[in-house]
Amino acid sequence: MSKKFRFFISIVIAAVILLTVFISAGASIYTDWLWFEDLNFEKTFTIMFLSNFILRLTIGVLFTTIIYLNLHFTKKPIIKHLNIKKDSKVESMFGEEKNQIFDWLNKKRLNIIYIVISLIFGFLFSSISTDSWKMVLKFFNRTSFNSVDPIFNNDIGFYVFTLPFLSFMREMGTVLIVISIILAGAMYIIFSGIHSFNDISSKMTSRAKKHLSILVFVFLLFKAWDYRLMMYDLLFSPRGVVFGAGYTDVNANLLGYRILFFVVLFVALAVLYSLFRKNYKPLIWGIGAWIILSIIFTGLYPAFVQQFSVEPNEIDREEPFIKNNINMTLEAYGLDKVRKEDFELSGDGLSYDDLMEYNTVVNNIRLWDRRPLLSTYGQLQGLRQYYKFQDVDIDRYDIDGDYTQVMLSARELDQDALASQAQTWVNKTLKYTHGFGAVMSPAGKVGSDGQPEFLIQDIPPKTDEGLELDNSSVYYGEKTNNYVITKTDETEFHYPMGSDNVFIKYEGSGGVSINNFLRKAIYALRFNTLKIFLSDEINEKSQIMYHRNIHERVRKAAPFLKYDSDPYLVIDRGRLFWIYDAYTTTNLFPYSQPFNRSDNYIRNSVKVVIDAYNGTLDYYIVDEEDPIVLTYNKIFDDLFTPMEEMPDSLREHLRYPIDLFKIQSEIYSNYHMEDPVVYYNREDVWNIPEESYSGSTIKMEPYYIMNNLPGEDEAEFILMTPFTPANKNNMVAWLAARNDGDNYGDLFLYSFPKDQLIYGPRQIESRIDQESEISQLLSLWSQRGSQVIRGNLLVIPVNNSILYVEPIFLQAETSALPELRRVVVAYEDKIIMRQNLESALEAMFEDEAPTAVASEDIEEISEETGVAPTEEDTADLTEETEEDMQAPFVEADDYQLIEEANDLYKQAQDALQQGDFSRYGEIIEELGSVLEQLSGTGE
């Protein structure tokens, strides 16, 4: 085989590979465009694709051009040098081999080498800007925040939109110049026959010196620009007592960057001066000053200021900067608008009649925990092995005139759960295309058998008179992971009916039409199967649905938004919809404390509504004051829809998202302290409480409840979380987010009186554990082959009082069907457990001397097990739970003293470990005083 033939074969193989890659990439891009077109978002796709492509092309062309021009500038002296070498045949440091290279090289070949080098670097650096298109588009469409930072008085939009663009330009420019210096310098060194770097000044041509001097000059300009931008970066400094610029940053580091900025400009001018005047003294002095001042102002001076000025007077020095951090953090998380009110406890206590006045609140106390309820739904309403419930959502509906909190879940079809022999392409693509129906039950009602009372159930769906569900097919959901093709000659499985099945044909608009030969071929290539191309069932009316999983779907359409972890199902106008909360975030909000080691600003600015049948996406802007979403709206004007266009029936189901509320709660646990001195000393840090669940201790999650906020006449759907002091378990406050109507998004903080003990969730859990009669029953159930699952402990503020409710579930070891068997209610110092909430409330408020457990419970357990519970049944459990209690049942004043003594003891131990004996002595004296008070009250 000749060399020419082998070369030809290699060219053909390379061409085939490149053509395959090109066709595959083209098929992916074209089918993506068709997908966006089906959603009427083709302009959004075009902007995302072209902006990314144009930016990468621009960077690639820029890098290629600048690098080539710099290499081209080296060509003339190099060619001249090569000609001299060829004529003289001088032996170089590389000997005969280098002479052969000189003989081979000529102007044309050197030009080709330069072009190839330039193209390689251009391609490499065009690839690193994949996500930079978002930053560039935001810069050119930026929106003002109408709020300024406290140091430079720049609008926040400068840091969110402009600073990233400027930093990107500086970084790209610096890299480009450094590469040009390296490549040009390498060319001069290699082809001028230099034997060592010490000979550079004597060997290098005047042309080379000028060339490299100009490049160094430009590099120094970029370095000066870098120092200028680093001044702004101080607003995101993590070094001080709080996030953001502190005293040392503003009074030492900022000064240093300003001085270095002018020093580098001087050095840059000195480079040009030395080039034309042949006087290197200014350059040498400039470089020396740069090195010395860099050491001083980036290390020594800031450390000196921190150690000798700040640390001895830290509170005084840092107070204004702590205030900046507090104010900017509250603004960044939308917590500056929290309304603070005192929650005054009723002196007369809560009566049964008082409680029944809050009928909507009581009837909607959520007894069902979504975790065991998911298993219950699966066991009772799965009906077939391929039907799955992914999640249980919480919402509210008007049912027969009653405002009702409900639990609901979509019945989705899991293709992976089909029998192995049914796992065929036809079944998974043409036949089993969708789930069917939903399940709904009231959150506050339980059947006599411990199961939910269903409002929607079975197949086909049976609904309560107050609900309507006409089309319950789920083509787009949380488990719809595969593509399907509808409107084919093959009928689709709809739902099982006894021993038979019901089949239908899709009548919706979802999916992309594959009505011609070309599209069938492209989708066959896209999904790597010839079956799409060869199937006789696919006709000119067929539509292909892909990216059907709603988690993937929303991120595909708008990848620049961040999304909630839990989309929720809504039944509206007889159909199923998903509502997905989307967020705008940034990590460039000055002084704001980051919440996940990155982002330090967040807004729930967008609600995405997904049609479960047609797959349409509607991105509704719900926060028109958020500059980031307004900027995106300028860029993608076909993507977003004004909130006013959302149907009122859907707006009634908007929820304040739990993910956002959790972030805000975590931040507010520290930043409710708005006084800088209090914040510095961490005098009033709060924690999110803990609760028991299924034998383990977990952090309490925010929860939705129906509640009358203090001063409000009507019950409303709210999201709330309680707070406890750091290292203590009593409750000090609770935060609430409103969800209904025009009040949506309002945040309230209700603080309890500081001179009264309010039990926290963990203390109530421990008190339940220590209640001997309750512990005996729970222990006996556990010992007799059942798993006891303690559901969410709910703290329910009602009529200036606090009620605690915890459901108890029982699940047999051989079954995954939890039953709600008991409800525990706690109020003040009383704890009651009964078979249902109604009985527990009656016993709590109606009986003069209620027992913790009803007498019939003991008899029932004895009859079921044949064994009467004894003290030994719960001995181990009681010993464990006693350790969790910080104090036995004591008076409120005593309890508070015990808490205080415990805290002082821990502080004393910390002082002792740190060697602070003065502080240790002060704490011990204070501890002795508290113990004397406790001893006196005990007597």
Side-chain angles (χ1 to χ4, degrees):
M1 185 180 297
S2 67
K3 291 184 178 179
K4 290 185 177 180
F5 183 73
R6 286 199 299 268
F7 178 76
F8 174 76
I9 294 296
S10 301
I11 293 296
V12 170
I13 294 174
V16 170
I17 293 174
L18 289 175
L19 183 63
T20 302
V21 171
F22 177 79
I23 293 175
S24 177
S28 178
I29 293 171
Y30 179 61
T31 52
D32 279 348
W33 186 85
L34 291 174
W35 185 84
F36 277 85
E37 183 187 41
D38 176 59
L39 295 170
N40 296 318
F41 295 157
E42 57 266 38
K43 185 176 179 181
T44 293
F45 172 81
T46 303
I47 291 172
M48 288 194 294
F49 177 78
L50 288 182
S51 59
N52 184 27
F53 175 78
I54 291 173
L55 178 62
R56 295 178 66 175
L57 181 64
T58 300
I59 292 176
V61 170
L62 183 65
F63 267 72
T64 300
T65 302
I66 299 299
I67 291 174
Y68 175 76
L69 288 176
N70 278 282
L71 291 174
H72 181 76
F73 198 79
T74 68
K75 191 191 311 181
K76 184 176 180 179
I78 288 176
I79 292 298
K80 183 178 180 181
H81 185 76
L82 289 176
N83 291 335
I84 295 174
K85 289 287 186 179
K86 289 177 182 179
D87 294 339
S88 62
K89 298 294 182 181
V90 175
E91 190 73 17
S92 72
M93 62 180 288
F94 296 101
E96 187 63 29
E97 292 182 1
K98 187 169 182 181
N99 281 331
Q100 292 177 3
I101 295 176
F102 290 158
D103 292 338
W104 178 82
L105 272 177
N106 55 41
K107 184 175 181 180
K108 182 178 180 181
R109 288 172 176 170
L110 186 61
N111 194 55
I112 292 174
I113 292 173
Y114 284 176
I115 291 174
V116 171
I117 292 174
S118 303
L119 288 172
I120 290 174
F121 278 97
F123 173 78
L124 289 175
F125 283 93
S126 68
S127 302
I128 67 174
S129 60
T130 303
D131 293 325
S132 299
W133 62 270
K134 306 173 193 175
M135 171 265 300
V136 174
L137 288 179
K138 286 192 290 185
F139 169 73
F140 285 109
N141 296 274
R142 57 192 180 275
T143 304
S144 173
F145 273 69
N146 295 319
S147 176
V148 298
D149 76 273
I151 303 300
F152 301 103
N153 291 316
N154 290 321
D155 186 89
I156 303 301
F158 169 80
Y159 302 98
V160 175
F161 303 121
T162 304
L163 186 59
F165 179 77
L166 297 179
S167 298
F168 175 75
M169 295 290 290
R170 181 209 57 79
E171 182 180 349
M172 289 292 101
T174 302
V175 171
L176 179 56
I177 293 301
V178 169
I179 291 174
S180 298
I181 292 173
I182 294 173
L183 291 177
M187 292 299 107
Y188 286 126
I189 292 173
I190 291 173
F191 290 101
S192 63
I194 295 174
H195 295 272
S196 70
F197 289 107
N198 292 328
D199 297 330
I200 290 179
S201 60
S202 59
K203 294 284 188 178
M204 192 167 293
T205 65
S206 174
R207 184 186 184 95
K209 292 179 182 179
K210 291 179 180 179
H211 182 193
L212 295 179
S213 295
I214 292 173
L215 289 177
V216 170
F217 169 76
V218 176
F219 167 78
L220 291 172
L221 292 182
F222 276 110
K223 185 59 185 177
W225 192 11
D226 183 33
Y227 282 128
R228 185 72 183 92
L229 298 181
M230 289 171 71
M231 299 179 196
Y232 298 124
D233 290 338
L234 291 174
L235 298 181
F236 311 98
S237 169
R239 294 185 293 265
V241 294
V242 293
F243 186 84
Y247 182 91
T248 301
D249 291 314
V250 173
N251 293 279
N253 288 308
L254 182 57
L255 174 64
Y257 290 144
R258 285 172 174 162
I259 292 174
L260 291 174
F261 170 76
F262 289 105
V263 169
V264 172
L265 287 180
F266 173 81
V267 174
L269 294 175
V271 169
L272 294 183
Y273 179 82
S274 64
L275 176 64
F276 295 105
R277 293 300 184 93
K278 310 301 181 182
N279 185 350
Y280 296 97
K281 288 183 179 180
L283 178 59
I284 294 172
W285 280 105
I287 294 175
W290 184 15
I291 294 173
I292 294 172
L293 291 175
S294 294
I295 296 173
I296 293 174
F297 285 107
T298 61
L300 298 179
Y301 182 60
F304 178 85
V305 172
Q306 180 67 28
Q307 184 171 354
F308 296 102
S309 178
V310 175
E311 291 183 2
N313 311 279
E314 195 163 48
I315 296 180
D316 180 64
R317 294 285 190 270
E318 299 288 6
E319 183 175 352
F321 305 102
I322 296 174
K323 187 64 176 177
N324 292 340
N325 171 261
I326 293 172
N327 292 339
M328 300 299 280
T329 298
L330 292 175
E331 181 180 346
Y333 293 98
L335 295 170
D336 54 331
K337 299 177 182 178
V338 173
R339 291 178 55 182
K340 298 182 178 181
E341 296 185 9
D342 292 329
F343 190 87
E344 299 294 341
L345 294 174
S346 174
D348 299 331
L350 185 66
S351 69
Y352 187 78
D353 291 338
D354 292 335
L355 188 61
M356 290 303 106
E357 290 181 5
Y358 297 89
N359 186 54
T360 302
V361 175
V362 175
N363 289 341
N364 287 282
I365 291 176
R366 181 165 59 83
L367 301 177
W368 287 100
D369 188 307
R370 60 181 177 83
R371 293 161 290 194
L373 184 60
L374 182 61
S375 297
T376 300
Y377 277 178
Q379 290 294 313
L380 298 179
Q381 288 293 310
L383 305 180
R384 293 292 188 274
Q385 82 275 8
Y386 43 76
Y387 282 134
K388 304 293 181 183
F389 295 99
Q390 178 69 14
D391 190 20
V392 176
D393 298 315
I394 303 171
D395 203 353
R396 70 284 197 198
Y397 288 77
D398 190 324
I399 300 175
D400 294 331
D402 293 328
Y403 199 35
T404 307
Q405 184 175 207
V406 302
M407 319 289 285
L408 72 161
S409 184
R411 184 185 291 107
E412 299 196 52
L413 190 146
D414 184 359
Q415 293 183 340
D416 294 334
L418 293 170
S420 57
Q421 63 271 21
Q423 296 275 348
T424 64
W425 181 86
V426 171
N427 277 344
K428 298 179 74 172
T429 309
L430 310 180
K431 182 69 70 176
Y432 291 91
T433 57
H434 60 280
F436 187 70
V439 177
M440 179 187 289
S441 58
K445 292 185 179 180
V446 184
S448 58
D449 57 352
Q451 302 302 333
E453 291 187 0
F454 290 106
L455 297 170
I456 300 177
Q457 61 180 322
D458 299 339
I459 296 179
K462 299 175 184 177
T463 63
D464 187 88
E465 292 181 1
L467 294 167
E468 178 185 358
L469 187 56
D470 301 323
N471 183 350
S472 62
S473 298
V474 184
Y475 282 86
Y476 300 86
E478 295 186 81
K479 296 192 74 66
T480 49
N481 298 318
N482 301 321
Y483 73 92
V484 298
I485 302 175
T486 60
K487 295 185 179 181
T488 65
D489 294 336
E490 180 78 30
T491 57
E492 302 172 44
F493 169 76
H494 196 35
Y495 60 84
M497 179 70 76
S499 58
D500 298 322
N501 292 327
V502 176
F503 296 89
I504 62 158
K505 284 199 172 184
Y506 180 70
E507 297 179 351
S509 60
V512 177
S513 175
I514 46 175
N515 54 4
N516 57 52
F517 173 87
L518 178 61
R519 286 196 178 182
K520 290 178 67 174
I522 289 175
Y523 278 106
L525 180 62
R526 165 70 185 262
F527 293 107
N528 197 30
T529 175
L530 287 174
K531 295 183 176 66
I532 295 177
F533 186 73
L534 300 175
S535 175
D536 294 331
E537 306 293 341
I538 300 175
N539 56 51
E540 67 277 0
K541 296 181 180 179
S542 297
Q543 295 171 187
I544 183 168
M545 301 178 179
Y546 50 108
H547 300 310
R548 294 192 303 140
N549 186 297
I550 60 173
H551 301 286
E552 175 190 5
R553 194 171 184 82
V554 296
R555 289 168 173 82
K556 181 72 175 178
F560 42 83
L561 298 174
K562 293 188 177 180
Y563 295 89
D564 198 82
S565 62
D566 183 28
Y568 59 98
L569 186 70
V570 171
I571 299 174
D572 180 51
R573 292 161 287 165
R575 300 173 59 192
L576 299 178
F577 296 88
W578 300 95
I579 295 182
Y580 217 133
D581 287 290
Y583 306 103
T584 55
T585 63
T586 181
N587 62 347
L588 293 171
F589 200 95
Y591 271 107
S592 176
Q593 177 67 36
F595 65 85
N596 62 358
R597 298 182 181 179
S598 176
D599 295 329
N600 63 356
Y601 170 94
I602 185 169
R603 289 291 186 274
N604 175 217
S605 299
V606 178
K607 303 281 187 181
V608 189
V609 177
I610 307 109
D611 188 324
Y613 187 65
N614 292 317
T616 56
L617 295 174
D618 292 300
Y619 286 77
Y620 293 102
I621 296 179
V622 296
D623 185 355
E624 296 183 351
E625 296 181 357
D626 173 32
I628 298 181
V629 79
L630 295 179
T631 295
Y632 283 136
N633 192 33
K634 294 177 187 177
I635 301 169
F636 308 107
D637 55 9
D638 67 329
L639 178 68
F640 296 102
T641 304
M643 183 62 181
E644 292 75 19
E645 297 184 23
M646 178 184 284
D648 291 339
S649 54
L650 273 176
R651 294 183 69 169
E652 293 174 356
H653 294 283
L654 295 184
R655 302 186 325 188
Y656 199 88
I658 287 182
D659 283 359
L660 173 60
F661 193 70
K662 286 168 68 175
I663 292 170
Q664 290 177 315
S665 300
E666 291 284 355
I667 293 294
Y668 206 62
S669 64
N670 285 297
Y671 284 89
H672 69 277
M673 299 179 288
E674 297 187 33
D675 184 286
V677 177
V678 174
Y679 182 90
Y680 173 84
N681 290 313
R682 299 297 194 269
E683 295 178 15
D684 193 22
V685 176
W686 294 346
N687 282 340
I688 305 298
E690 294 180 334
E691 64 172 338
S692 296
Y693 176 77
S694 190
S696 60
T697 300
I698 60 174
K699 181 174 288 189
M700 196 172 190
E701 292 212 351
Y703 51 90
Y704 296 101
I705 61 170
M706 291 288 194
N707 195 266
N708 289 64
L709 290 176
E712 298 292 334
D713 296 328
E714 300 294 330
E716 56 186 290
F717 191 61
I718 69 169
L719 177 63
M720 69 163 287
T721 189
F723 289 112
T724 60
N727 302 317
K728 295 184 181 181
N729 290 323
N730 59 292
M731 195 160 57
V732 293
W734 56 284
L735 183 67
R738 305 177 79 171
N739 289 262
D740 292 345
D742 294 335
N743 296 320
Y744 175 87
D746 290 348
L747 296 175
F748 285 80
L749 178 75
Y750 295 96
S751 299
F752 294 112
K754 293 186 177 181
D755 59 348
Q756 292 179 265
L757 172 64
I758 310 298
Y759 289 117
R762 188 68 187 132
Q763 291 172 327
I764 294 297
E765 296 276 17
S766 296
R767 291 184 59 201
I768 293 172
D769 291 338
Q770 281 201 324
E771 181 58 57
S772 60
E773 293 175 340
I774 295 176
S775 296
Q776 288 177 27
L777 290 175
L778 299 183
S779 179
L780 184 60
W781 280 331
S782 298
Q783 293 177 8
R784 297 298 183 266
S786 296
Q787 180 186 4
V788 176
I789 302 173
R790 292 166 64 166
N792 286 127
L793 175 67
L794 303 183
V795 178
I796 303 172
V798 55
N799 194 30
N800 294 103
S801 299
I802 300 295
L803 197 67
Y804 307 85
V805 177
E806 181 176 82
I808 304 295
F809 298 89
L810 203 61
Q811 178 177 308
E813 290 183 354
T814 57
S815 169
L817 181 60
E819 299 176 355
L820 204 164
R821 295 295 299 271
R822 295 292 185 271
V823 177
V824 178
V825 174
Y827 174 68
E828 293 183 342
D829 290 330
K830 293 186 291 185
I831 295 180
I832 300 293
M833 185 172 76
R834 294 293 187 269
Q835 290 188 344
N836 53 58
L837 178 63
E838 187 176 350
S839 299
L841 292 176
E842 288 178 354
M844 175 69 72
F845 296 104
E846 293 284 87
D847 295 352
E848 292 184 2
T851 57
V853 176
S855 57
E856 57 266 24
D857 284 342
I858 302 297
E859 296 175 3
E860 179 184 345
I861 297 300
S862 299
E863 291 175 1
E864 290 182 0
T865 63
V867 179
T870 65
E871 292 290 338
E872 287 76 10
D873 289 327
T874 58
D876 294 338
L877 179 62
T878 302
E879 289 178 4
E880 293 175 3
T881 57
E882 282 178 349
E883 296 177 359
D884 294 332
M885 287 295 290
Q886 293 189 11
F889 296 118
V890 294
E891 297 296 329
D893 291 341
D894 291 352
Y895 202 107
Q896 201 72 37
L897 289 171
I898 293 173
E899 291 272 6
E900 186 178 352
N902 184 49
D903 187 50
L904 288 171
Y905 175 76
K906 291 179 180 178
Q907 293 181 35
Q909 292 300 310
D910 292 340
L912 188 61
Q913 291 176 0
Q914 296 172 8
D916 190 346
F917 298 106
S918 175
R919 175 65 177 155
Y920 175 77
E922 293 174 359
I923 296 173
I924 289 298
E925 288 183 8
E926 190 175 351
L927 177 59
S929 176
V930 172
L931 293 176
E932 287 179 5
Q933 294 179 52
L934 186 60
S935 176
T937 57
E939 294 174 0

